[in-house]
């Protein structure tokens, strides 16, 4: 039923979110779940930095350090960055292309719940015998030797949440191909939509290798297989290849949406069209394509031989070219623009030098001969935190500030936003810049402590102080969210006043049906074109009429819950007699829910013209 | 959008569409016959003792590729308009998979 303009109790709200298939509500779910995992990963980071603040520290034990370090990486990549990227995509992309929802609303909800249950499953390992402790890459020679169930939680949890990601990626591909409004040609799509499109294609091609690797690992660990055990004729390097054939595209899956977010922000707050739009599209596609040709640069020291190392080194350096194109385009977008330093814009401007440092150290690492020196040192840690934090996390924070009014109808406080930015920016460079030098001085990564008198003391102390700055920044952000939610004022359609793309033409938050009338897109930056011609709204492409909407459904939740239960069963099937039956029951729940989905005819419902007119009138006054 | 070409008014151009369908049916029957013929050749290539495995294996792989192309273009309608993007993604996937396997076979091999 239509949920327009109706007050509800807490229980009804929770039920609403459990069953929702609306992309805007799913975006909020992704934001909350991803945000919680981000805090969890941050907490783990703080434990790591406290342990490493002084030499010979015994804040935590060596074994626990391995668990914390593994879970920090795994949580941040799979359970924080990925869902937060999906939060941005869900919140914005359908509106940016003038659609009323994604192509498969039911699958959208299923994708979220699979990710959520996979993440919860992974984190329950803390309470059930110990977390995974073989690093986020979980190399087979380490993980096969791990005595606890931690690795099994890793394998099954990531399998479930990876399924969700794959579903999400396919959904966005189909949405962007099929659901664009009239006039929204490919070369008129906003840059964030383009980034989402290429990212989804990368997900489509990159996640299957991970799935295969995880299945092999599951067989080896739980069902007596020997894909990776050399003593039984397996090969431990196969895991490394499979992991990185997935893992390298994965970092582009994270960073391309970040590029997209910044492209929107640069254009908006420079009050200029994005410089070199078509070259930006070309660069995005090229980065996506090249991303599949370079996985072995993570494995230079494995012993693939000089020819393989040289070829993968050159291929890796080639990626710097399209990335450079993007950097210059952003600089030229700002050049001559009338720049406003809002919070998102500050992140965007800070992103350029931060990310360039990460890119330059990336090329250094790509030099295979030199990489033998950097490998497994803090230099690598510094490098990937510069690209992931300086690129992805900055983008997610910027995007959260930028689109917060569109998601929740209230602006985050700009003053507190800037405090967050400065604390986070200073803390970030304080933490990670010094780690380049710690690495060059020989400090190995993933080791739980270091000895005094080797020259690592000062650097590590500075790094830990920086981490506390970032934590302070995050706390200010949380305070900002609470204050805004309680006291913030409702804003209109275009709270930044310089919005260029379609999402700023609808009310904040957008109504359930997004557009009362599907808009006619007349060029790049469709809303800006209308504004420049003195119009208030978009040009409609259809008469006002009833809008067909999908029904909410609890089935995605049940399907995911079934897999969650099944994973528990199979994880313990060697230890307890109840394992296998519980696993089978879980699978039956999933298959049963899928069966019901197939046989129940669900035709959705209509929002009638009169309701829409009333809602639009209210929306215009808000 | 442009992809909705198959949602047409059924009464429009009945004559033309009937001719089109007949033509398509002819193509499907021809390719179906060819596919059965190719399958027979494949069985023959494996069964005939005059051919060594060095000839037979690449040969039947080649026949398999031809069959996949027939399948995609004549039975799954990739020859029709509006299938450019599925084709792009299919070939994109083929290229990525090929390059990966090729790298393994030529420079990496574990």
């Amino acid at each position: 039923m239509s949920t327009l303009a109706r007050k509800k109790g807490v229980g009804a709200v929770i039920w609403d979110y459990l069953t929702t298939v609306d992309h805007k509500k799913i975006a909020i779910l992704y934001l909350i779940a991803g945000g919680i995992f981000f805090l969890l990963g941050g907490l783990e980071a703080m434990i790591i930095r406290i342990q490493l603040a002084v030499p010979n520290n015994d804040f935590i034990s060596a074994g626990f350090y391995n668990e914390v370090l593994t879970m920090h990486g795994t949580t941040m990549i799979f359970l924080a960055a990925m869902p937060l990227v999906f939060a941005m995509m869900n919140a914005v992309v359908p509106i940016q292309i003038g659609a009323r929802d994604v192509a498969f609303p039911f699958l959208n909800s299923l994708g979220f719940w699979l990710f959520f249950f996979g993440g919860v499953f992974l984190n329950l390992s803390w309470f059930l015998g110990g977390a995974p402790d073989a690093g986020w890459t979980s190399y087979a020679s380490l993980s096969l030797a791990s005595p606890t169930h931690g690795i099994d939680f890793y394998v099954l949890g990531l399998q479930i949440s990876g399924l969700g990601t794959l579903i999400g990626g396919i959904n966005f591909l189909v949405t962007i191909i099929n659901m664009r409004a009239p006039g929204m040609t490919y070369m008129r799509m906003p840059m964030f939509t383009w980034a989402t499109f290429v990212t989804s294609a990368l997900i489509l091609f990159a996640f299957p290798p991970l799935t295969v690797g995880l299945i092999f690992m599951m067989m080896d660990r739980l069902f007596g297989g020997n894909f990776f055990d050399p003593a039984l004729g397996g090969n431990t390097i196969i895991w490394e290849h499979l992991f990185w054939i997935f893992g390298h595209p994965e970092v582009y899956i994270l960073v391309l949406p970040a590029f997209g977010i910044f492209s929107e922000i640069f254009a908006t707050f420079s009050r200029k069209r994005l410089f070199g739009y078509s070259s930006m599209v070309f660069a995005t596609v090229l980065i996506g394509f090249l991303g599949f040709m370079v996985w072995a640069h993570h494995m230079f020291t494995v012993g693939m031989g000089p020819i393989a190392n040289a070829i993968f080194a050159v291929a890796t350096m080639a990626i710097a070219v399209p990335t450079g194109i993007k950097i210059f385009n952003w600089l030229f977008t700002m050049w001559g623009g009338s720049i406003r330093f809002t919070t998102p814009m500050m992140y965007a401007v800070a992103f350029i030098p931060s990310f360039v440092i990460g890119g330059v150290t990336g090329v250094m690492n790509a030099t295979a001969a030199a990489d033998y020196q950097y490998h497994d040192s803090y230099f690598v840690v510094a490098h990937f935190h510069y690209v992931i934090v300086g690129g992805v996390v900055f983008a997610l924070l910027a995007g959260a500030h930028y689109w917060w009014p569109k998601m929740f109808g209230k602006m985050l406080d700009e003053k507190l936003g800037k405090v967050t930015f400065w604390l986070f920016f200073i803390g970030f460079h304080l933490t990670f810049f010094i780690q380049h030098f710690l690495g060059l001085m020989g400090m190995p990564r993933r080791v739980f402590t270091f000895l005094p008198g080797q020259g690592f003391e000062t650097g590590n102390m500075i790094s830990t102080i920086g981490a506390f700055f970032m934590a302070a920044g995050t706390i200010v952000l949380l305070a900002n969210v609470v204050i805004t939610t309680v006291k913030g004022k409702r804003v209109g359609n275009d709270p930044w006043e310089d919005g260029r793309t379609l999402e700023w033409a609808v009310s904040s938050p957008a109504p359930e049906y997004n557009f009362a009338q599907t808009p006619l897109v007349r060029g790049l930056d469709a809303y800006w074109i209308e504004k420049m011609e003195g119009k208030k709204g978009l040009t409609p492409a259809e008469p006002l009429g009833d809008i067909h909407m999908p029904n909410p459904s609890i089935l995605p939740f049940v399907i995911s819950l079934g897999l969650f239960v099944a994973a528990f069963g199979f994880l313990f099937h060697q230890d307890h007699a109840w394992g296998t039956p519980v696993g089978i029951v879980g699978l039956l729940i999933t298959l049963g829910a899928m069966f019901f989905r197939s046989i129940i005819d669900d035709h959705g419902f209509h929002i009638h013209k009169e309701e829409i007119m009333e809602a639009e009138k209210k929306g215009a006054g808000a | 959008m442009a992809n909705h070409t198959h949602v047409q008014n059924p009464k429009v151009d009945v004559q033309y569409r009937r001719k089109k369908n007949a033509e398509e049916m002819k193509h499907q029957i021809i390719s179906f016959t060819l596919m059965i013929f190719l399958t027979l050749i494949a069985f023959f290539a494996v069964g005939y003792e005059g051919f060594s495995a060095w000839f037979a294996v690449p040969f039947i792989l080649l026949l398999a590729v031809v069959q996949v192309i027939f399948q995609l273009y004549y039975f799954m309608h990739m020859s029709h308009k509006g299938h450019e993007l599925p084709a792009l993604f299919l070939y994109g996937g083929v290229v990525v998979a090929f390059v990966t396997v090729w790298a393994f076979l030529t420079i990496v091999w574990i």
Side-chain angles (χ1 to χ4, degrees):
Chain A
M1 284 290 99
S2 166
T3 51
L4 288 171
R6 197 185 297 165
K7 289 255 175 202
K8 286 177 297 188
V10 180
V13 170
I14 292 175
W15 180 253
D16 183 28
Y17 274 90
L18 287 179
T19 59
T20 188
V21 292
D22 178 355
H23 69 94
K24 298 172 288 292
K25 285 181 180 161
I26 291 173
I28 292 172
L29 288 173
Y30 268 120
L31 189 72
I32 293 170
I36 289 171
F37 284 124
F38 179 72
L39 295 179
L40 206 58
L43 195 67
E44 285 150 4
M46 295 311 291
I47 295 175
I48 293 175
R49 277 323 316 168
I50 292 171
Q51 165 66 18
L52 292 176
V54 290
N56 267 335
N57 200 359
D58 58 358
F59 178 67
I60 53 174
S61 70
F64 188 63
Y65 181 88
N66 287 348
E67 295 176 24
V68 171
L69 163 140
T70 302
M71 286 300 283
H72 166 69
T74 313
T75 304
M76 282 302 197
I77 296 283
F78 291 101
L79 309 180
M82 291 289 300
L84 289 173
V85 162
F86 267 108
M88 302 290 154
M89 292 179 181
N90 267 299
V92 179
V93 168
I95 315 184
Q96 273 194 338
I97 60 172
R100 294 215 163 96
D101 205 327
V102 291
F104 307 117
F106 181 90
L107 284 188
N108 202 13
S109 160
L110 181 61
F112 169 76
W113 288 111
L114 283 170
F115 140 71
F116 179 76
F117 277 111
V120 170
F121 183 81
L122 184 52
N123 275 284
L124 283 177
S125 62
W126 288 114
F127 310 104
L128 295 167
D133 54 0
W136 86 281
T137 52
S138 202
Y139 276 10
S141 31
L142 292 173
S143 52
L144 288 186
S146 175
T148 66
H149 270 305
I151 302 296
D152 307 328
F153 277 103
Y154 173 97
V155 168
L156 295 170
L158 287 191
Q159 192 70 281
I160 294 172
S161 80
L163 206 55
T165 307
L166 190 56
I167 286 173
I170 292 171
N171 204 348
F172 275 105
L173 276 180
V174 180
T175 304
I176 293 172
I177 291 172
N178 287 323
M179 312 252 308
R180 284 168 290 128
M184 178 62 83
T185 59
Y186 281 105
M187 291 312 273
R188 285 178 182 174
M189 292 196 312
M191 220 34 234
F192 182 60
T193 300
W194 256 111
T196 302
F197 185 60
V198 176
T199 299
S200 304
L202 292 188
I203 290 175
L204 179 67
F205 292 141
F207 268 71
L210 176 71
T211 308
V212 172
L214 290 173
I215 286 177
F216 284 0
M217 182 69 84
M218 179 179 79
M219 290 297 169
D220 274 18
R221 296 249 340 163
L222 293 173
F223 299 104
N226 49 35
F227 289 101
F228 303 128
D229 186 355
L232 297 169
N235 188 335
T236 178
I237 303 297
I238 293 173
W239 167 268
E240 295 187 28
H241 279 294
L242 284 171
F243 187 87
W244 286 119
I245 289 172
F246 147 77
H248 197 79
E250 166 71 14
V251 300
Y252 294 118
I253 290 168
L254 294 177
V255 89
L256 287 179
F259 289 170
I261 292 170
F262 283 132
S263 299
E264 303 286 319
I265 289 171
F266 277 123
T268 303
F269 295 114
S270 304
R271 293 202 187 96
K272 266 178 75 189
R273 190 193 138 120
L274 187 67
F275 186 92
Y277 170 83
S278 43
S279 71
M280 280 300 231
V281 172
F282 168 76
T284 307
V285 175
L286 195 63
I287 291 174
F289 187 70
L290 288 175
F292 284 98
M293 315 284 157
V294 297
W295 79 91
H297 68 213
H298 298 269
M299 300 169 61
F300 282 151
T301 58
V302 160
M304 295 180 300
I307 293 175
N309 279 8
I311 289 173
F312 280 105
V314 173
T316 305
M317 290 176 196
I319 294 184
V321 176
T323 314
I325 292 175
K326 281 175 162 292
I327 298 279
F328 282 109
N329 279 336
W330 288 318
L331 292 175
F332 285 133
T333 305
M334 285 192 287
W335 188 327
S338 122
I339 298 176
R340 278 168 66 202
F341 279 100
T342 57
T343 310
M345 188 61 170
M346 291 176 81
Y347 280 108
V349 173
F351 149 80
I352 289 187
S354 307
F355 191 80
V356 167
I357 294 174
V360 169
T361 54
V363 176
M364 289 171 75
N365 281 321
T367 315
D371 183 65
Y372 274 79
Q373 305 303 314
Y374 309 135
H375 190 82
D376 260 347
S377 78
Y378 260 80
F379 189 82
V380 176
V381 176
H383 157 69
F384 68 70
H385 280 95
Y386 260 86
V387 285
I388 300 275
V389 182
V392 182
V393 177
F394 277 19
L396 292 170
L397 291 172
H401 284 87
Y402 183 56
W403 282 310
W404 197 270
K406 197 44 72 185
M407 292 177 80
F408 297 99
K410 293 171 179 178
M411 289 277 261
L412 283 175
D413 185 73
E414 276 287 286
K415 271 210 188 96
L416 286 177
K418 282 173 187 166
V419 172
T420 307
F421 165 76
W422 282 113
L423 284 172
F424 208 89
F425 178 71
I426 293 169
F428 161 66
H429 283 283
L430 215 51
T431 309
F432 296 111
F433 194 73
I434 197 79
Q435 290 186 359
H436 291 111
F437 300 100
L438 284 172
L440 293 178
M441 284 152 68
M443 181 165 160
R445 69 188 275 210
R446 290 176 168 168
V447 173
F448 85 108
T449 190
F450 56 93
L451 296 174
Q454 295 181 325
F456 299 152
E457 287 95 333
T458 321
N460 274 299
M461 186 44 93
I462 290 172
S463 190
T464 301
I465 292 169
F468 276 96
F469 271 83
M470 282 196 276
T474 312
I475 290 167
V476 175
L477 175 64
L478 286 179
N480 194 355
V481 169
V482 173
I483 292 170
T484 304
T485 310
V486 177
K487 290 210 288 196
K489 276 198 211 106
R490 296 244 144 229
V491 293
N493 295 358
D494 187 12
W496 298 107
E497 291 166 7
D498 294 315
R500 310 178 72 82
T501 41
L502 288 181
E503 76 266 29
W504 304 112
V506 296
S507 65
S508 309
E512 199 182 354
Y513 46 79
N514 291 357
F515 297 93
Q517 292 160 288
T518 299
L520 180 70
V521 176
R522 300 192 294 147
L524 180 67
D525 295 336
Y527 185 43
W528 186 258
I529 291 177
E530 305 289 345
K531 280 202 276 192
M532 287 301 102
E533 291 183 5
K535 292 182 188 154
K536 280 201 177 138
L538 299 167
T539 312
E542 61 173 13
L544 197 61
D546 293 358
I547 295 174
H548 181 250
M549 302 292 290
N551 273 328
S553 170
I554 191 69
L555 288 176
F557 181 87
V558 180
I559 292 174
S560 314
L561 181 71
L563 284 181
F564 177 75
V565 174
F568 265 111
F570 289 123
L571 194 143
F572 288 113
H573 86 285
Q574 286 165 333
D575 314 337
H576 303 286
W578 51 261
T580 310
V582 167
I584 291 169
V585 167
L587 285 182
L588 286 178
I589 294 174
T590 296
L591 293 172
M594 289 165 74
F595 176 74
F596 279 116
R597 169 69 183 166
S598 309
I599 58 159
I600 297 173
D601 260 341
D602 187 351
H603 296 297
F605 64 96
H606 283 90
I607 303 179
H608 295 290
K609 202 166 149 185
E610 296 72 31
E611 281 181 274
I612 296 165
M613 280 158 75
E614 204 180 314
E616 286 295 299
K617 223 185 283 167
K618 262 190 224 157
Chain B
M1 285 303 312
N3 308 48
H4 291 182
T5 42
H6 53 281
V7 201
Q8 291 167 331
N9 185 346
K11 283 180 188 152
V12 175
D13 295 332
V14 180
Q15 208 97 69
Y16 171 76
R17 272 152 46 82
R18 188 168 289 166
K19 198 178 126 207
K20 245 332 202 200
N21 285 347
E23 206 171 287
E24 198 174 303
M25 192 67 188
K26 200 172 81 190
H27 285 158
Q28 291 196 342
I29 288 173
I30 292 173
S31 53
F32 185 63
T33 324
L34 275 173
M35 284 164 93
I36 291 183
F37 182 61
L38 292 180
T39 312
L40 287 176
I41 293 180
F43 273 109
F44 173 74
V46 176
Y48 182 59
E49 290 181 4
F51 294 157
S52 75
W54 283 105
F55 173 76
V57 171
F59 182 64
I60 61 173
L61 280 178
L62 183 72
L63 293 183
V65 170
V66 174
Q67 295 234 20
V68 167
I69 292 170
F70 273 143
Q71 175 74 21
L72 287 174
Y73 277 86
Y74 289 103
F75 291 99
M76 297 177 77
H77 304 294
M78 242 169 75
S79 52
H80 291 194
K81 263 191 186 165
H83 288 67
E84 293 82 8
L85 268 160
L88 176 73
F89 273 84
L90 234 146
Y91 290 122
V94 168
V95 168
V96 168
F98 174 76
V99 169
T100 307
V101 174
W102 191 41
F104 271 112
L105 290 178
T106 51
I107 56 173
V108 177
W109 197 239
I110 315 183

